[in-house]
Amino acid sequence: MTVVDGRDVPEQGNGYFLGGTLFDRVSAHMRIYREEIFGPVLALVRVESLTEALDLVNGHEFGNGAVVFTSDGRAAQEFVSRVSAGMVGVNVPVPVARGRHGRRGFLDAGRPLSSPAYQR
């Protein structure tokens, strides 16, 4: 379900622009969850348990960033210590890196650029 639709952004010169877009109730089977999107787009996935959240994030191909929203301090600590993502947050918007990089996500960071992941 689209919560915020970024198509109605004022023209800003030459090129194509998309405003902030938020998708809620995204599942792991949806294309928007499985593929990287470069733009101001956020996919919100809701889960029932900490274990489900960790399995979901740790099973993703890229693992760029993950945030947990919780009022349980122990769950927050466990999430941060067990999650495999480049940027991790607790009760904050997605932490975003400021630099550009030539890799396809956090989980590719240790792979050589000649690996099959870069030849897709």
Side-chain angles (χ1 to χ4, degrees):
M1 160 173 60
T2 306
V3 177
V4 176
D5 181 343
R7 290 181 288 185
D8 294 325
V9 67
E11 214 174 290
Q12 299 185 20
N14 297 330
Y16 300 97
F17 300 92
L18 177 70
T21 303
L22 172 64
F23 292 91
D24 192 4
R25 306 209 181 274
V26 171
S27 76
H29 304 291
M30 294 178 168
R31 184 175 176 187
I32 189 171
Y33 178 78
R34 295 187 323 266
E35 297 180 6
E36 276 187 306
I37 297 177
F38 293 97
V41 177
L42 179 65
L44 184 62
V45 181
R46 296 169 184 254
V47 295
E48 295 294 322
S49 69
L50 177 60
T51 300
E52 185 181 357
L54 288 165
D55 289 346
L56 186 72
V57 175
N58 291 341
H60 197 280
E61 179 180 2
F62 301 119
N64 290 325
V67 175
V68 63
F69 288 88
T70 181
S71 58
D72 183 336
R74 287 184 204 190
Q77 284 183 316
E78 186 172 349
F79 181 83
V80 169
S81 68
R82 292 182 48 202
V83 73
S84 179
M87 298 167 284
V88 179
V90 176
N91 297 339
V92 296
V94 176
V96 179
R98 290 277 180 193
R100 293 184 180 203
H101 54 84
R103 305 250 184 223
R104 284 181 31 131
F106 172 73
L107 297 180
D108 275 347
R111 298 180 190 170
L113 291 175
S114 62
S115 87
Y118 298 104
Q119 298 171 6
R120 288 185 240 175

